[in-house]
Amino acid sequence: MAASGATFRRLLPLSRPLLSRLPAAAARPYGVRASDTGELVTHTGQVYDEKDYRRVRFVGRQKEVNKNFAIDLIAEQPVSEVESRVISCDGGGGALGHPKVYINLDKETKTGTCGYCGLQFKQKHH
């Protein structure tokens, strides 16, 4: 446990300058992208070079990529305004949801986000 904490503290200062040097275009674009070779890029960024042996799976057929990335679908959902200061989210759908979590909406400008499903909530102020 102590070793992982030391590694994290050692890597943390390195990540800040790196993040500040990234151009604004390095942010994840929404929707399906195509590589320079015309191959579709998956939601995890999987794309192979022309001479990569793993491309043998796609010889004679098109690589199938689901165009409905979950991050895009959640981004389309509007922020839900609620009356209470604390709300719970279980993902809806009973057994198809996720464990129930409670989200504090104390600050006036705060938008609470569910860590499991990404739905956003904001307290409606009168």
Side-chain angles (χ1 to χ4, degrees), residues 35-101:
S35 69
D36 296 335
T37 61
E39 178 183 0
L40 295 177
V41 180
T42 65
H43 70 285
T44 59
Q46 179 190 59
V47 64
Y48 302 122
D49 294 332
E50 279 291 324
K51 296 183 180 183
D52 195 325
Y53 72 92
R54 293 173 288 186
R55 289 180 61 99
V56 74
R57 292 184 280 179
F58 308 113
V59 171
R61 60 182 170 171
Q62 179 66 33
K63 178 178 171 183
E64 295 181 24
V65 176
N66 185 354
K67 293 176 174 42
N68 295 322
F69 294 165
I71 192 169
D72 297 337
L73 297 173
I74 289 295
E76 292 174 1
Q77 293 294 321
V79 176
S80 300
E81 291 194 359
V82 294
E83 296 284 334
S84 62
R85 184 180 63 82
V86 178
I87 59 112
S88 65
C89 180
D90 62 2
L96 298 177
H98 58 70
K100 183 183 276 190
V101 292

Side-chain angles (χ1 to χ4, degrees), residues 104-111 123 125:
N104 288 324
L105 304 173
D106 290 336
K107 297 181 180 167
E108 189 170 319
T109 59
K110 178 162 170 78
T111 300
Q123 185 178 11
H125 294 282

